[in-house]
Amino acid sequence: MYTMGDNSIFKKAQEAKNKTEEAIKNEQEYMNNIDNMINEYTNGTNTPTPEVPENPWAKIDRIAKAIANDSNITSDSTQATGTTEKGESYDIKVGDIFEVEYNGEAKRARILGFKHDDLVDQTVYGGNHTKASISFEFYDCLGTHNMNGVDAETSTNENGWAATEMRTFLEGTDGRGKLSNNSYLKQVKKEYIKTYNDASSVATCNDYLWLLSASEVLKDGYNGGDTRGYAITKEGEQYLYYKNNATEEWNSSSANRVKYNDGGIYTWWLRSPLYAYSTHFEYITTGGYGYGDYYSGSAGGVAPGFCI
């Protein structure tokens, strides 16, 4: 006898049929989805996005923010330790070397000091901060370049660093534009001698990249007082790296003032004009001497500073 209730053989057969039809439908939808995915990958409309590794300077930028908010770290500090907002511990020192890509080539840069340079935008770390957290300089030159002009008529130090071709080059697409840490640079205020033989002509400009001045590197000068190297006066204070590691006389050899270009030791420009001539800027020799007799149209090593 066949029952007609909920457990009847007819009802069970119908349920089995329904389940089979549902399974067939689900399988067909699955196969359709697979076909669609294959078509999308083939046509390039569903290509998976590869994971892009973080720029290593993003972490340094987070460290800089932590340093900005750490009142225990000052311009006299040789070391900075702590934890970033992402929980990353750090321990960095004046003189530490980091790598930056310039035009796809690895260049070395070292820490000159903490909270040394005056910020243009005091909100870059959040809140209100007057000093850039970390100041760096390139240890390897970004090639060579003239300071101003190439002949007697155009090679000049008139109006100082702010008016140089070098500054325009560094701020442009062939300078700052080719740095891998470009988006993390902080703009700071830099002093410069506007008139080569006038100590009262010191002015200020705003830079992301700059050449160091004689007073930021050297402790004294040709004529005592506020002179530095062959510059008539100071353009900013000496960085802690040079204060602690290269305190020799300006005209003495110092290995800590040596820079490299294409693997070899090379002379490198300073932004300070020579006090005696309207056509020359100072530079550091291959022996680490501070020197001033460098024609502004010459191709000197470019080893700029920057802040994070």
Side-chain angles (χ1 to χ4, degrees):
M1 178 181 292
Y2 301 105
T3 60
M4 303 300 291
D6 290 343
N7 294 320
S8 70
I9 190 170
F10 297 110
K11 183 174 180 62
K12 290 181 178 179
Q14 185 63 44
E15 290 176 350
K17 178 184 177 184
N18 292 342
K19 289 180 179 179
T20 300
E21 291 176 347
E22 183 69 22
I24 293 172
K25 179 181 178 182
N26 290 340
E27 183 177 4
Q28 187 61 50
E29 289 180 352
Y30 174 77
M31 294 305 297
N32 289 339
N33 289 335
I34 292 294
D35 288 341
N36 290 336
M37 290 177 65
I38 291 173
N39 290 332
E40 288 175 354
Y41 283 122
T42 302
N43 297 329
T45 58
N46 193 18
T47 304
T49 302
E51 184 176 348
V52 179
E54 182 183 60
N55 187 319
W57 285 86
K59 179 179 179 180
I60 298 175
D61 190 57
R62 291 192 292 270
I63 291 172
K65 183 176 180 180
I67 289 173
N69 292 301
D70 188 343
S71 60
N72 292 318
I73 300 173
T74 70
S75 60
D76 293 323
S77 299
T78 59
Q79 184 176 7
T81 60
T83 306
T84 71
E85 60 188 359
K86 291 186 68 172
E88 306 154 305
S89 61
Y90 61 88
D91 183 357
I92 59 176
K93 303 176 182 65
V94 172
D96 282 354
I97 302 290
F98 296 81
E99 280 195 350
V100 187
E101 282 193 7
Y102 174 68
N103 199 24
E105 182 180 353
K107 300 288 185 179
R108 294 171 295 176
R110 66 180 160 215
I111 295 178
L112 289 175
F114 304 111
K115 296 183 178 178
H116 180 101
D117 289 295
D118 292 327
L119 286 167
V120 174
D121 181 357
Q122 298 183 0
T123 67
V124 290
Y125 304 118
N128 185 38
H129 303 280
T130 61
K131 297 289 186 178
S133 291
I134 316 173
S135 297
F136 292 84
E137 67 167 348
F138 276 95
Y139 186 34
D140 294 315
C141 294
L142 309 184
T144 63
H145 202 276
N146 57 295
M147 186 72 81
N148 253 342
V150 292
D151 54 40
E153 293 183 359
T154 58
S155 295
T156 175
N157 59 31
E158 184 179 0
N159 293 318
W161 162 248
T164 61
E165 292 179 19
M166 176 73 79
R167 182 169 180 257
T168 299
F169 161 72
L170 285 176
E171 286 298 308
T173 55
D174 289 330
R176 181 158 61 99
K178 291 185 176 180
L179 288 176
S180 62
N181 63 352
N182 179 10
S183 61
Y184 303 105
L185 302 184
K186 306 298 186 284
Q187 192 177 37
V188 294
K189 303 173 184 179
K190 303 306 294 185
E191 293 183 349
Y192 67 98
I193 298 169
K194 192 171 183 179
T195 304
Y196 70 97
N197 59 359
D198 182 359
S200 67
S201 68
V202 175
T204 302
C205 59
N206 300 332
D207 291 324
Y208 288 98
L209 291 176
W210 65 89
L211 297 186
L212 273 67
S213 70
S215 60
E216 289 173 337
V217 176
L218 309 166
K219 75 169 185 176
D220 56 14
Y222 74 97
N223 196 32
D226 282 339
T227 63
R228 290 295 185 276
Y230 282 113
I232 198 165
T233 191
K234 293 196 303 182
E235 301 152 286
E237 299 300 322
Q238 189 179 32
Y239 282 104
L240 193 61
Y241 171 79
Y242 286 110
K243 185 180 293 185
N244 290 348
N245 297 291
T247 56
E248 296 89 349
E249 303 296 322
W250 63 274
N251 59 352
S252 297
S253 176
S254 173
N256 291 299
R257 295 198 288 250
V258 167
K259 299 287 181 71
Y260 291 83
N261 185 54
D262 289 335
I265 296 174
Y266 209 84
T267 59
W268 52 285
W269 283 112
L270 300 174
R271 70 175 184 271
S272 303
L274 174 63
Y275 79 96
Y277 298 102
S278 63
T279 52
H280 291 64
F281 283 85
E282 291 199 65
Y283 72 108
I284 302 293
T285 70
T286 55
Y289 293 87
Y291 206 65
D293 192 17
Y294 212 34
Y295 192 56
S296 64
S298 303
V302 183
F306 62 91
C307 287
I308 299 294

